Amino acid sequence: MERACEEVPGYRRVELIPQPDVLDSILNHYVRMLFEDLGAGCPAGRLFGESIVNAIAAHVAQKYAVINYQFPHPVRLSSHCLRRVLEFIHSHLDEDLSIAEIAQVALISPYHFGRLFKKSTGRSVHQYVLGQRIREAKGLLTNRHLTLVEIGAAVGMASQSHFTTVFKNKVGVTPGLYRSYLLGRAPAHPEIVVAADSDAAA
C-alpha cells in the first residue's frame, strides 16, 4: 500500500482508520476476480494477481487511510518508453513476467505503471501479455516439428496442460485442434476461423 502511494503528492506513511467488518463491493469484486483467475489456472501468470493486489492497495489507501490519498490522473507513456516496454515483453514471453520487472524497464512504480500502460494501449498489462502469448503460440503451431510442450514453454506456460487450458479458454479450441486445422488435417471449424481472424485479442 505504501509503495502504491509513493508518488502521491504529500505522501506520508499510510495509516488506516479502524474499520472492522467492512462491507466493500469493490474489494469483494477484486477478491472474486482473484479466485476466478486461480480457478482458470492463472493464464497470465502472476501478472494478473499483482495487478489486482496493486488495485486493492490503492483502493484501500484512498478509502480507509487517515490521510485522503488522491492519485494523479494517469497520462500516457512516451512513445519511446512504450516501445522499450513492448520490446521487453516480446523478448521475455517465455518467462513468468512480473509487473515490477516490466515497470522497471519504464522506470516507473509498479502501480502507476499499470495505469499508464492501460492508458497508452487500451489494455491492462496482463491482458496485453496474454494476448501476445496466444499470438506467438498460434505462429509456433504452424511448425509441425515443435511439440505442444515446447510451444507452451516458449510462451511462458508452466506445462502442456496449462497451455492447453489457457489456449482453449482464449481461442475456443485446443492447440492440437488448432494445429490440425492449420495443417489441413481437420475440417474447418467456426471457432477456429474466428480465432484466426481475431488474432487473440484477449
Side-chain angles (χ1 to χ4, degrees), residues 57-103:
H59 173 74
V60 171
Q62 285 180 303
K63 191 168 183 179
Y64 302 111
V66 173
I67 299 172
N68 184 17
Y69 287 93
Q70 295 298 323
F71 291 88
H73 186 72
V75 295
R76 295 177 184 273
L77 296 168
S78 69
S79 58
H80 174 72
C81 180
L82 180 60
R83 183 169 60 253
R84 190 168 67 246
V85 167
L86 297 183
E87 288 174 353
F88 176 82
I89 290 173
H90 295 162
S91 62
H92 293 80
L93 287 177
D94 60 329
E95 301 175 14
D96 187 13
L97 292 168
S98 71
I99 293 288
E101 289 172 335
I102 302 173

Side-chain angles (χ1 to χ4, degrees), residues 134-135 138 167-168 170-174 178 181-182 189-201:
I134 295 299
R135 183 176 184 174
K138 286 181 175 182
F167 192 92
K168 185 174 182 180
K170 292 299 178 183
V171 180
V173 293
T174 65
Y178 187 88
Y181 166 74
L182 292 177
H189 190 288
E191 290 181 340
I192 299 178
V193 174
V194 170
D197 292 341
S198 64
D199 204 17

